Amino acid sequence: MAKTVLVAVDGSPQSKEALTHALEEHPEAEIVALTVVDPAEAGYSVEGAAPDFPQEWYETAEQEAERVLENAEERASEGGQSITTASAVGRPANAIIEYAEDQDVDHIVLGSHGRTGMSRILLGSVAETVMRRSTVPVTVVR
């Protein structure tokens, strides 16, 4: 049985299902909800070498991350459970894996966005990358 379960949350219906799944399937574990602020979403400078980090974008992204984590805490408390929350900055798959390794997480739960075909190839898949690179079990919730 997992002692610490990391749940990736981004406010999407899939991540809400992942949190619900983790709370139901791992009631005795410490549940950690992690959200990731992805600088790639801010766009790139004209040179294309480094991300352009407008302060306004970053502040908005941080506020959204706080909102996502507050919603996760509310969902857990509705079921009489409490969770730990955390946020990271970086590429989502990398940040999830690094957090899991650094914090000795026993299990990762994340939602699938259900992309298939060309959109999956072009956009990549956080869930697939985490599954391939994780050293701990991963559950993907549809």
Side-chain angles (χ1 to χ4, degrees):
M1 183 159 106
K3 292 188 215 175
T4 305
V5 177
L6 176 64
V7 182
V9 295
D10 62 6
S12 68
Q14 294 87 354
S15 76
K16 290 176 183 175
E17 288 296 323
L19 179 59
T20 299
H21 176 85
L23 291 167
E24 290 173 355
E25 296 297 319
H26 303 280
E28 301 300 319
E30 175 188 4
I31 305 292
V32 178
L34 174 71
T35 192
V36 180
V37 175
D38 185 358
E41 292 179 6
Y44 288 85
S45 64
V46 175
E47 297 82 28
D52 183 18
F53 288 102
Q55 187 64 30
E56 184 177 314
W57 175 87
Y58 186 74
E59 288 172 3
T60 301
E62 282 290 310
Q63 290 170 356
E64 176 63 15
E66 288 176 24
R67 185 189 66 74
V68 166
L69 294 174
E70 287 171 5
N71 287 343
E73 286 178 316
E74 288 172 13
R75 287 181 74 86
S77 68
E78 288 170 2
Q81 294 174 283
S82 64
I83 61 172
T84 302
T85 60
S87 64
V89 176
R91 298 301 307 218
N94 294 342
I96 292 165
I97 292 164
E98 286 175 22
Y99 187 93
E101 290 173 353
D102 292 346
Q103 301 300 318
D104 293 324
V105 168
D106 301 300
H107 195 103
I108 300 172
V109 178
L110 62 160
S112 168
H113 285 280
R115 291 187 181 109
T116 58
M118 190 56 85
S119 67
R120 183 170 146 212
I121 293 168
L122 294 174
L123 299 174
S125 171
V126 171
E128 183 174 355
T129 301
V130 170
M131 287 185 337
R132 288 179 187 267
R133 293 185 42 210
S134 176
T135 59
V136 299
V138 176
T139 299
V140 179
V141 179
R142 288 190 164 260

